[in-house]
Amino acid sequence: MSEICYRNEFKHEISQKNKVILTSRLRKVLKHDENSVGNSYSIRSLYFDTIYDDAYWDKEDGRSYREKFRIRYYNNDASFIRLEKKVKDGAVGYKQSACITKDMADQLIQKKYDCLADASHPLLQEFYAKCKSQCMEPKVIITYEREAFAYGPGNTRITLDFDMHASTQVAAFFHDGRIGIREPGIDCVLEVKFDNYLPEWIQSLVQTEETTSTSHSKYVIGRHLNQI
């Protein structure tokens, strides 16, 4: 498993007007990240939780240490799928990932976790153990568009996420197109992520006339939209 690297992450809700202003500004000085096809790309994730919804309640109750598991792919391309563990520990967090096949993903969706019984990757071993011991199960699909920019110093990434939909029809994970209920009331979520420092000029670059700091959790919002 790769070495854990703690990162800072700040989120802001911004309007459609300021999304347009900010993307125009960022495109002039920063490169899009490696997943981009054109200006933006689609992301689809399937989140797992225990039968008691521990990850959901950890977030709702504001616990300092939280973790959640998901499988994810990009741009409707099921040839590259990752299992990810995302951890939040106080003000910082980290993410670990391991590649899985579509057949494995299909079995996980059906709660046939023994497909990971002989996995060699430590993250897959951990997920398998927790699925068995904590009765993990797939809960909600989150689909959205992202425009993302990368800057080497500080390992800085700026992402703008929009057009989020959520569905509890987990068997539809590999269906084409948008599925589920669209997130109302939020045009765009700006996220600024970096390791040890954020370059000052980047900090100035992402300022808009109205940003609302948020603890926006796609997983929790997706559960709310589908009434838990």
Side-chain angles (χ1 to χ4, degrees):
M1 188 180 296
S2 59
E3 182 180 353
I4 291 174
C5 178
Y6 283 89
R7 285 170 61 76
N8 297 275
E9 180 179 284
F10 296 98
K11 301 181 181 181
H12 305 274
E13 295 174 6
I14 63 174
S15 66
Q16 176 63 23
K17 181 186 75 172
N18 279 290
K19 171 182 173 293
V20 172
I21 293 171
L22 190 54
T23 53
S24 176
R25 186 188 303 164
L26 291 168
R27 288 172 190 169
K28 293 177 181 177
V29 294
L30 293 176
K31 294 182 179 179
H32 286 104
D33 77 357
E34 69 279 2
N35 295 309
S36 298
V37 178
N39 289 328
S40 66
Y41 54 93
S42 64
I43 298 175
R44 180 166 291 176
S45 301
L46 174 59
Y47 287 85
F48 291 75
D49 207 341
T50 69
I51 57 173
Y52 301 109
D53 292 324
D54 289 325
Y56 171 85
W57 287 111
D58 284 350
K59 175 63 175 178
E60 288 289 84
D61 293 341
R63 294 188 180 178
S64 178
Y65 180 88
R66 306 186 298 274
E67 64 179 43
K68 54 181 176 279
F69 289 89
R70 66 194 179 202
I71 55 177
R72 167 175 285 191
Y73 66 107
Y74 302 87
N75 292 317
N76 298 313
D77 180 7
S79 67
F80 180 70
I81 307 168
R82 291 188 298 198
L83 171 74
E84 298 182 337
K85 174 186 177 182
K86 190 170 183 180
V87 171
K88 188 72 173 178
D89 191 359
V92 295
Y94 65 88
K95 183 172 68 175
Q96 295 172 310
S97 66
C99 291
I100 60 172
T101 65
K102 185 177 183 296
D103 180 65
M104 285 180 177
D106 284 330
Q107 292 187 63
L108 295 179
I109 291 168
Q110 299 173 58
K111 297 187 282 188
K112 296 178 179 179
Y113 301 121
D114 285 343
C115 67
L116 299 180
D118 298 321
S120 59
H121 196 289
L123 181 60
L124 300 183
Q125 294 173 351
E126 178 186 353
F127 182 63
Y128 174 69
K130 289 184 174 178
C131 285
K132 288 293 191 177
S133 63
Q134 301 178 15
C135 299
M136 300 276 280
E137 55 188 22
K139 296 287 187 174
V140 67
I141 298 168
I142 304 294
T143 308
Y144 58 97
E145 290 292 314
R146 166 171 286 178
E147 183 159 1
F149 301 87
Y151 181 64
N155 191 20
T156 304
R157 290 187 80 240
I158 301 168
T159 61
L160 297 103
D161 296 343
F162 54 97
D163 194 24
M164 190 190 99
H165 289 66
S167 172
T168 54
Q169 302 300 311
V170 298
F173 185 56
F174 290 111
H175 288 191
D176 291 339
R178 289 286 183 268
I179 56 174
I181 303 169
R182 190 183 191 283
E183 178 185 26
I186 299 177
D187 292 324
C188 180
V189 175
L190 163 69
E191 298 185 17
V192 182
K193 309 169 190 180
F194 56 96
D195 289 350
N196 297 319
Y197 71 98
L198 178 65
E200 288 188 12
W201 74 271
I202 294 283
Q203 187 172 355
S204 298
L205 191 68
V206 297
Q207 296 300 313
T208 67
E209 64 185 29
E210 45 84 62
T211 57
T212 303
S213 296
T214 179
S215 59
H216 187 277
S217 167
K218 295 180 179 69
Y219 171 58
V220 169
I221 291 172
R223 297 295 303 277
H224 284 173
L225 289 175
N226 289 274
Q227 301 180 338
I228 314 275

